[in-house]
Amino acid sequence: MRPELPTGTVTFLFTDVEGSTSLLAELGAEAYADALAAHRALIREACAGNGGVEVDTQGDAFFVAFPTAPGALAAASDFTEHLVRDGPIRVRVGVHTGTPLVGEEGYVGHDVHRAARIAAAGHGGQVLVSAATASLVNTELTDLGEHRFKDLGVPERVFQLGDGEFPALKSLYRTNLPIPATAFLGRKRELREVVELVDRDDARLVTLTGPGGTGKTRLTLQAAAEASEGFPDGVHWIPLAPVRDETAVGATFAQALEVRDTPGIDFGTSIVSAFGTKRSLIVVDNCEHLVAGVAELVGQLVGGCPKVVVVASSRERLGLQAERIYEVPPMAVSDGHALFVERASAVRPGFQPDEHVDAICDAVDQLPLAIELAAARVRALSTPAIHERLGERLGLLASRNRDVEERQRTLEATIAWSYDLLDDDERRVLRGLSVFAGSCTLAAAEAVAEADLDSLESLLDKSLLRHRVGMAGEDRYWMLETIREYAQRELEREGEADAAVTRYSAFFADLADRLDATDTLAVSDEQRDLVVSERANFGEAHARALATGDGAAALRFVRRLGPVMGAIGVGARDWYAKAVASVALHGGTRQDRAYALVRTARVASLMGDSARARSWLDEADALFEALGDGDGSAAAIGARCDVEGRAGNYDKVIELAERLAVLGQSLDDTDPAAAAARTRTQSEAEVALAWALLGRAVEENDREAAERSRLILAAGADAVATSGTLMEQASWVGDLALSLFVLEDYSESIATAQRALEKLRELEARDETQIGVVWDCLFTIGLSLCGKGDAESGISLVAAVRHMWHVSGVGVAEEPFAQAILGPVEKSARTALGDDDYEAAVNAGEALTRDEAIALGLSIAPH
């Protein structure tokens, strides 16, 4: 067990082996391993003997904390002398003293990073000491002067233990990189990727792009510092944000690069002449408003200075052949959280994060600028209040700091800066795209926003739009919510909102018409993929149809989307509310209304509202009869089977299933579509009959009925095993598993339910949805576990499922079938466990997350 870490004033010591790669090649693997082990033992002995506590070891590097500065230097002196004398390993050492915070996983604070930076600047056998440490010791030290390190902090005086001679420190020199007001946090992956681009042998121009507030400037600065060792002729910083006149670009470059203005010679030629043979890194910040001028000058640099590398930050790429683009992404969730906590703690010492911090960061698209502005509000608002007010992001997110540039003082100003650089056509397209929820396809952008490929590409270049490839390989375009909010407001200001919303609703109502599934099991993979890709847009368009009283569009959405919503796991409560509101509106065709009523009735039965479901089906029956729509009549009968089955009227369901089978046989099958409809109708009749028999078996303890049900379900599962969709396969197999439970074949029931669960998980992983049928499979596994005698695990799974049904608003647990099964199972489990353990198992199950419940269900050994 590691000793307790020192607290208060602590001295940190970092070590790192110099030239480890070359040493490995020189000594060979076995000899190097022996030398490394000896070096580790020596360092550990010296540090422990002087009061040091080993905090971390990574590869061949040590991180040790000491309660006193003299102890740290004594340890460093001891092991470096031995290593230099005995060889072959030499280590560089950095020592720094501070007052760090001790968190759950160790030390937290800038002092740790400072010590590591100091160590990295040294050479093998050299011990570097910070001014903070030097002030606490009487040991002989050599003053090495002031140095800046790669953390870009202010210059710091550095000392060396002893008077040995070493090469110059590997610190920042010959640079005018600015000193940031705050420390660089997170972004390890992005920093590594940018530095790798800059370090490439063929690197000439690397441009970091992204919308305003993404943190391009800070990442560019840090990457330049990290890459500085490769540029012995210096790292040069050219800020362009204050420059408004494109003709002043050359003079700005020349001034920052300390190149004299020579009469009769243009700035580009003078700069190329001065840097023609130099190995320099030139960092150009904020190029987007001067793209043409910057591109011309950078093009001269790249073409005339073969050893110079240019790194630019811009909301728009420069458009040069040598350019490599790095799109700066939003922050990772963990980085965003850390940034919020750091900035919030700066304005409210002692700030403690809660669950609202991550929600706030998500709401502002994990943009560093927006996170910082939100965090600054903790002086006046609690995190719940900040989160609640983020519906109006642009007004809330503003800085009161006087040293912040005007264009970054508010999130609105940052986005406006980019918007103002667009031409009229680009602005119009951006405003039109703001009506989309989530992303859109090229076809949707053309129809709704009246965009074309050139305008979309231009907005992509300017970092106001983003691109990704959808599930079906289609191109999709999207924008950050912060940008979308700004564009929507501009859409309203220009008086274009009504027309854009009309085009939007019409487009997605037409798209919904491509969905012709009659029930959830009839949903094809292509239809499922379409709705998953456009789920946000379908939901938004449906909501707008309801808001505007467009009954025709609302009914089309319910008719076409109803079966698919079940297949992709959309919440029943939310969908039911939309469906009920839709059928209450006037307008639309009689056929659309009839099918919408059937869809709504199915959800009503799931919600436990059987009376309204029957009323809606009565109306649908009359409409289908008047229309002479046999397919519609079959759909209505199928829905009635569902309604009556959930109500426990099994004899009625058997009668309806027989009617449905007869009707299915009478349907036209002269073309493939009609034949498919006929097959689906007959399949639905079989499912309804199987469930009714299963209900009768449970209610009347009729084993023969249960066996008939199993045979029907097994035959159905076999029929779809090779040709059916994953959803069809999982549904049939899941139902089969429940029939096996009723037949008391518990082991086979668990194994079968697990097979169905694996198929559903495969489907969920493919399109990132959550399917309600998953809970049915877990319910069966829980019941069968209880049947096998594992009451604790079984009742926990049952409780988890019951809890999720309750949260979803569905009434499955109260249905007669579920009650008839649950009663004996729960009574037996309580008897086996006793009241206290039974309640503990229920509580444990209700506390399970969805993923935890699935993991538990799949971990059970069936046999």
Side-chain angles (χ1 to χ4, degrees):
M1 184 176 180
R2 185 177 69 185
E4 186 175 348
L5 296 176
T7 58
T9 300
V10 180
T11 298
F12 295 129
L13 180 149
F14 278 82
T15 76
D16 190 26
V17 173
E18 181 180 56
S20 56
T21 303
S22 58
L23 264 177
L24 174 61
E26 177 186 336
L27 299 176
E30 186 174 349
Y32 178 70
D34 290 342
L36 201 60
H39 128 275
R40 287 172 178 155
L42 184 61
I43 290 178
R44 286 187 169 121
E45 182 181 358
C47 290
N50 287 280
V53 177
E54 186 176 320
V55 181
D56 193 16
T57 305
Q58 294 186 359
D60 50 21
F62 276 88
F63 171 21
V64 185
F66 291 80
T68 68
L73 290 193
S77 176
D78 187 5
F79 67 69
T80 52
E81 286 179 11
H82 280 82
L83 288 171
V84 168
R85 183 184 67 234
D86 300 336
I89 288 180
R90 292 163 63 89
V91 298
R92 46 181 166 254
V93 183
V95 183
H96 174 64
T97 303
T99 53
L101 172 70
V102 180
E104 292 182 2
E105 298 184 8
Y107 290 110
V108 180
H110 301 308
D111 291 317
V112 177
H113 302 291
R114 199 65 171 169
R117 292 290 191 190
I118 291 172
H123 302 276
Q126 187 176 34
V127 179
L128 297 180
V129 181
S130 73
T133 303
S135 67
L136 299 174
V137 299
N138 294 318
T139 309
E140 179 186 351
L141 300 173
T142 301
D143 189 344
L144 300 181
E146 290 192 337
H147 292 263
R148 285 187 72 189
F149 297 102
K150 292 179 181 179
D151 58 5
L152 294 172
V154 296
E156 177 171 338
R157 188 165 293 279
V158 178
F159 298 83
Q160 174 187 298
L161 180 62
D163 56 2
E165 294 187 3
F166 297 92
L169 297 188
K170 293 178 285 186
S171 56
L172 286 176
Y173 65 100
R174 300 193 65 180
T175 182
N176 63 339
L177 289 176
I179 299 172
T182 55
F184 184 78
L185 294 175
R187 296 284 204 187
K188 289 183 179 179
R189 176 182 61 82
E190 294 92 329
L191 183 60
R192 183 185 69 252
E193 291 171 348
V194 174
V195 172
E196 286 174 354
L197 285 175
V198 174
D199 284 344
R200 287 173 59 114
D201 292 339
D202 60 349
R204 303 310 315 284
L205 169 61
V206 177
T207 303
L208 280 67
T209 64
T214 314
K216 299 182 296 298
T217 294
R218 193 66 184 84
L219 179 59
T220 302
L221 264 175
Q222 196 62 43
E226 296 290 338
S228 61
E229 287 181 30
F231 299 92
D233 293 317
V235 179
H236 307 274
W237 169 256
I238 307 176
L240 295 180
V243 181
R244 292 293 180 267
D245 185 356
E246 200 160 287
T247 62
V249 169
T252 304
F253 268 61
Q255 181 180 1
L257 298 174
E258 299 181 350
V259 174
R260 291 182 179 179
D261 179 10
T262 304
I265 301 178
D266 66 80
F267 287 112
T269 302
S270 296
I271 292 170
V272 169
S273 176
F275 283 79
T277 60
K278 290 183 177 181
R279 176 63 174 166
S280 297
L281 180 63
I282 297 176
V283 184
V284 190
D285 185 45
N286 288 118
C287 306
E288 60 272 354
H289 59 303
L290 304 165
V291 167
V294 174
E296 181 180 354
L297 196 50
V298 170
Q300 288 180 266
L301 267 169
V302 170
C305 306
K307 296 181 180 180
V308 167
V309 176
V310 178
V311 177
S313 73
S314 178
R315 302 185 191 187
E316 180 178 0
R317 64 189 183 92
L318 299 185
L320 298 175
Q321 286 187 340
E323 187 175 32
R324 289 184 178 274
I325 303 296
Y326 185 84
E327 293 188 5
V328 179
M331 298 191 89
V333 172
S334 58
D335 288 347
H337 181 99
L339 179 62
F340 187 100
V341 173
E342 171 76 13
R343 300 299 185 256
S345 298
V347 298
R348 199 178 91 194
F351 171 79
Q352 293 296 318
D354 56 24
E355 69 275 10
H356 296 284
V357 169
D358 286 341
I360 290 168
C361 295
D362 283 339
V364 298
D365 297 318
Q366 298 289 349
L367 290 178
L369 173 62
I371 291 172
E372 291 184 342
L373 294 173
R377 291 291 188 180
V378 301
R379 290 188 64 206
L381 295 172
S382 65
T383 51
I386 294 172
H387 187 215
E388 182 180 349
R389 290 168 179 259
L390 281 177
E392 291 292 334
R393 300 174 184 82
L394 301 183
L396 178 70
L397 301 179
S399 173
R400 297 172 61 86
N401 293 332
R402 294 182 177 88
D403 59 349
V404 176
E405 291 183 45
E406 190 63 38
R407 66 188 178 88
Q408 290 199 317
R409 185 156 292 181
T410 69
L411 186 61
E412 180 178 9
T414 299
I415 301 171
W417 168 274
S418 295
Y419 183 77
D420 290 343
L421 294 175
L422 303 178
D423 63 31
D424 290 343
D425 187 58
E426 290 168 337
R427 292 178 191 173
R428 177 188 56 77
V429 172
L430 184 70
R431 293 193 298 266
L433 291 171
S434 71
V435 301
F436 290 101
S439 62
C440 68
T441 61
L442 175 59
E446 290 172 335
V448 176
E450 299 176 327
D452 58 30
L453 194 54
D454 287 341
S455 61
L456 293 175
E457 188 170 359
S458 180
L459 292 173
L460 285 167
D461 287 344
K462 293 175 171 61
S463 303
L464 289 168
L465 202 61
R466 298 202 165 196
H467 171 269
R468 65 176 174 83
V469 177
M471 291 175 52
E474 79 280 14
D475 294 298
R476 301 194 70 83
Y477 305 90
W478 60 284
M479 64 179 75
L480 296 173
E481 283 301 307
T482 46
I483 296 174
R484 180 175 180 240
E485 182 180 325
Y486 182 92
Q488 281 183 325
R489 197 172 66 184
E490 292 300 308
L491 186 74
E492 294 283 352
R493 284 179 178 173
E494 294 292 332
E496 300 167 343
D498 290 345
V501 167
T502 298
R503 292 192 300 270
Y504 176 75
S505 297
F507 178 86
F508 283 100
D510 290 341
L511 189 61
D513 285 339
R514 289 170 48 184
L515 305 166
D516 58 356
T518 55
D519 59 57
T520 297
L521 292 185
V523 176
S524 69
D525 288 341
E526 180 183 3
Q527 291 170 332
R528 179 187 168 87
D529 290 348
L530 172 62
V531 175
V532 169
S533 297
E534 300 293 0
R535 174 166 49 185
N537 282 313
F538 278 134
E540 182 72 11
H542 191 178
R544 288 179 175 177
L546 291 173
T548 58
D550 185 354
L555 289 175
R556 288 166 72 189
F557 284 124
V558 175
R559 173 185 178 179
R560 299 301 186 184
L561 297 180
V564 195
M565 289 306 185
I568 66 171
V570 169
R573 182 190 287 116
D574 293 340
W575 176 245
Y576 185 46
K578 279 187 172 181
V580 171
S582 298
V583 297
L585 294 175
H586 297 289
T589 67
R590 290 189 297 167
Q591 189 176 58
D592 282 342
R593 177 167 184 78
Y595 278 100
L597 289 166
V598 171
R599 311 295 186 237
T600 308
R602 278 191 178 274
V603 188
S605 68
L606 183 62
M607 304 296 292
D609 197 351
S610 300
R612 293 179 82 184
R614 293 188 184 100
S615 175
W616 283 321
L617 288 174
D618 289 343
E619 183 182 349
D621 281 336
L623 288 169
F624 285 132
E625 185 176 353
L627 292 166
D629 187 340
D631 288 340
S633 295
I637 295 174
R640 280 194 189 276
C641 289
D642 198 24
V643 173
E644 299 304 334
R646 292 185 183 281
N649 299 323
Y650 305 123
D651 290 340
K652 181 67 173 178
V653 176
I654 292 172
E655 175 191 331
L656 289 168
E658 291 171 350
R659 280 179 54 198
L660 187 59
V662 172
L663 181 57
Q665 292 173 354
S666 69
L667 294 176
D668 178 32
D669 63 353
T670 55
D671 61 74
R678 176 173 176 168
T679 300
R680 286 196 302 267
T681 299
Q682 292 173 328
S683 176
E684 186 168 12
E686 291 171 356
V687 171
L689 178 59
W691 268 96
L693 290 169
L694 206 56
R696 178 185 284 176
V698 171
E699 189 176 70
E700 301 177 7
N701 196 24
D702 187 340
R703 187 174 182 84
E704 182 180 347
E707 179 60 22
R708 284 182 61 197
S709 176
R710 186 196 68 80
L711 290 172
I712 294 171
L713 294 169
D718 289 341
V720 300
T722 56
S723 59
T725 65
L726 278 174
M727 189 69 186
E728 286 179 302
Q729 294 170 23
S731 295
W732 279 99
V733 172
D735 291 347
L736 175 60
L738 187 58
S739 72
L740 289 167
F741 162 76
V742 174
L743 286 166
E744 300 179 356
D745 190 350
Y746 302 128
S747 294
E748 193 60 33
S749 173
I750 292 171
T752 305
Q754 288 174 335
R755 277 169 40 214
L757 194 55
E758 291 285 10
K759 292 180 184 294
L760 291 167
R761 293 296 284 162
E762 180 183 344
L763 195 56
E764 290 187 341
R766 190 190 73 188
D767 53 29
E768 298 181 352
T769 58
Q770 294 188 352
I771 304 169
V773 183
V774 164
W775 292 110
D776 298 342
C777 295
L778 291 174
F779 186 61
T780 299
I781 294 172
L783 295 173
S784 294
L785 280 173
C786 290
K788 287 187 68 175
D790 186 355
E792 183 177 4
S793 297
I795 212 64
S796 286
L797 268 182
V798 169
V801 175
R802 293 194 66 168
H803 177 68
M804 188 50 59
W805 281 337
H806 174 73
V807 170
S808 301
V810 299
V812 176
E814 284 69 48
E815 292 171 3
F817 181 81
Q819 286 291 302
I821 288 178
L822 279 171
V825 168
E826 291 177 333
K827 181 178 180 181
S828 175
R830 186 179 288 276
T831 300
L833 295 173
D835 289 343
D836 290 345
D837 288 346
Y838 177 87
E839 294 300 332
V842 169
N843 292 335
E846 291 179 347
L848 290 174
T849 65
R850 189 175 192 274
D851 287 342
E852 289 169 345
I854 292 170
L856 175 59
L858 291 174
S859 69
I860 303 300
H863 301 289

